[in-house]
Amino acid sequence: MKGGNKQLKSIFGKWWQPVRKWFYPSWLLYELSIRFYDYAIAVYFYFIDMQGNFTSYIGDIGLHTSAIFFSLATFIICSIFLTVPACFVLYRFFNTGGLTSTQFESKIKPLF
């Protein structure tokens, strides 16, 4: 029974195996950074669109300062708490031979 089980080869070839541990985390970092940049821009424009609600309290300069601060805070918080850990886990998944020692891992790794 065990003799019939073979490890599948990657569809990208042997040269892909050392590259994938860096490619997938860097691709994820790029994609999430672009997405969180869009979130930060949306936060900035939300503050600017609600200018009438905030200007009477903090003034025009305070509004722009708050909009910039909160948009940067959105990008930094999302990057630190979501992007960095996800990229690290993905790197460890492809760098380590049997990270979880599950049957799913052994089936999915050769495909990527």
Side-chain angles (χ1 to χ4, degrees):
M1 187 78 166
K2 287 201 172 210
N5 293 339
K6 291 185 188 176
Q7 181 71 19
L8 296 174
K9 294 183 179 179
S10 175
I11 59 176
F12 296 111
K14 287 189 175 198
W15 63 271
W16 181 249
Q17 291 178 1
V19 174
R20 71 181 179 180
K21 70 179 177 183
W22 293 106
F23 173 75
Y24 288 123
S26 60
W27 172 76
L28 181 66
L29 177 69
Y30 168 75
E31 288 293 328
L32 290 179
S33 296
I34 295 298
R35 180 63 55 207
F36 294 146
Y37 176 75
D38 290 341
Y39 292 166
I41 295 296
V43 168
Y44 176 79
F45 284 126
Y46 174 78
F47 273 90
I48 298 303
D49 289 344
M50 297 296 165
Q51 187 170 3
N53 297 340
F54 297 121
T55 305
S56 60
Y57 297 111
I58 57 177
D60 200 29
I61 294 174
L63 172 75
H64 286 286
T65 304
S66 297
I68 291 170
F69 173 76
F70 286 116
S71 64
L72 283 174
T74 300
F75 181 77
I76 290 170
I77 288 170
C78 288
S79 295
I80 289 174
F81 289 110
L82 298 173
T83 305
V84 173
C87 290
F88 177 73
V89 167
L90 193 59
Y91 172 78
R92 293 287 295 172
F93 178 74
F94 284 110
N95 194 31
T96 307
L99 186 64
T100 59
S101 301
T102 61
Q103 192 175 21
F104 175 72
E105 180 184 357
S106 62
K107 287 182 179 180
I108 197 79
K109 269 188 182 180
L111 298 176
F112 292 107

